[in-house]
Amino acid sequence: GAVVSQHPSRVICKSGTSVKIECRSLDFQATTMFWYRQFPKQSLMLMATSNEGSKATYEQGVEKDKFLINHASLTLSTLTVTSAHPEDSSFYICSAREGAPEAFFGQGTRLTVV
Amino acid sequence: LAKTTQPISMDSYEGQEVNITCSHNNIATNDYITWYQQFPSQGPRFIIQGYKTKVTNEVASLFIPADRKSSTLSLPRVSLSDTAVYYCLVGEDNYGQNFVFGPGTRLSVLP
């Protein structure tokens, strides 16, 4: 299947700082990318959907000014957690699709805010 | 979006066939049914997808009855490494599809 690379896999940051997570589709052009967060023992929660070249669509309850999403090219989307706080600590996962019904997922990023 | 319902957890033993059923009573005409597998601290992995009847690949089979209001993921002869959470998603084949995950089924394979 198609490969989606997410970086970094693990990051620790201080409270109040910003963290950027990258999501790349390595062998296909991702017209749509999704960002999720997942707390322990829980399912994935969709945060936002982004289409290349347009603004992301955020799910209800997700602060767009706190979770900045940029989908500037067909192979790269970034999620920036601004002014991170300990409650933002979570597992963040991106996925991408080219147009086929299935989406392919990155390996996830474990964010810990101390 | 069609809501899905799955058992929260299942136990099985190595070598057995495991069937996980997903209910999606309000599935729409254009909706596909997709199953993903997730191991701890990893992103979900695509297993199989179907629209109707039966689909089979090298790892699983997907059975979809004529009314498409449910689907069954069948894992033949499971091993310990199949212990994971399995998610059933239902949605359209278009660019606007949001992949919304339900709670999934936590499968534990015992020796």
Side-chain angles (χ1 to χ4, degrees), chain B residues 24 27 31-35 48-50 62 64 71 88-90:
Chain B
H24 27 80
I27 188 170
D31 284 347
Y32 282 73
I33 301 157
T34 311
W35 286 80
I48 197 166
Q49 183 182 76
L62 179 60
I64 306 169
S71 59
C88 161
L89 275 73
V90 174

Side-chain angles (χ1 to χ4, degrees), chain A residues 25-41:
Chain A
S25 58
L26 298 186
D27 51 3
F28 67 101
Q29 294 185 326
T31 51
T32 307
M33 286 188 170
F34 307 90
W35 286 96
Y36 299 82
R37 64 187 299 181
Q38 185 176 32
F39 293 107
K41 302 291 187 181

Side-chain angles (χ1 to χ4, degrees), chain A residues 2 28-32 34 96-104, chain B residues 32 34 36 46 49 91-97 99:
Chain A
F28 67 101
Q29 294 185 326
T31 51
T32 307
F34 307 90
R97 63 186 296 221
E98 183 177 21
E102 71 266 26
F104 298 94
Chain B
Y32 282 73
T34 311
Y36 288 86
F46 172 84
Q49 183 182 76
E92 290 185 44
D93 174 15
N94 63 35
Y95 293 91
Q97 173 54 42
F99 281 72

Side-chain angles (χ1 to χ4, degrees), chain B residues 5-62:
Chain B
T5 304
Q6 303 173 232
I8 295 297
S9 64
M10 294 180 68
D11 290 338
S12 181
Y13 290 96
E14 280 191 291
Q16 289 186 332
E17 177 185 78
V18 172
N19 296 309
I20 306 174
T21 297
C22 178
S23 297
H24 27 80
N25 290 320
N26 60 338
I27 188 170
T29 302
N30 294 334
D31 284 347
Y32 282 73
I33 301 157
T34 311
W35 286 80
Y36 288 86
Q37 174 193 57
Q38 186 184 29
F39 297 112
S41 297
Q42 294 186 28
R45 183 176 73 100
F46 172 84
I47 301 175
I48 197 166
Q49 183 182 76
Y51 183 80
K52 61 180 179 180
T53 62
K54 176 184 175 182
V55 180
T56 297
N57 62 21
E58 62 276 9
V59 297
S61 294
L62 179 60

Side-chain angles (χ1 to χ4, degrees), chain A residues 1 4 6 12-13 17 20 22 24 32 41 51 53-54 58-59 67 73 78 85 90 92 94 98-99 104 106 112:
Chain A
V4 175
Q6 196 172 330
I12 301 173
C13 71
T17 62
K20 180 183 285 187
E22 291 188 348
R24 293 181 183 274
T32 307
K41 302 291 187 181
N51 293 301
S54 61
Y58 290 80
E59 295 298 301
F67 299 100
S73 76
T78 59
H85 292 285
S90 187
Y92 292 85
C94 73
E98 183 177 21
F104 298 94
T112 303

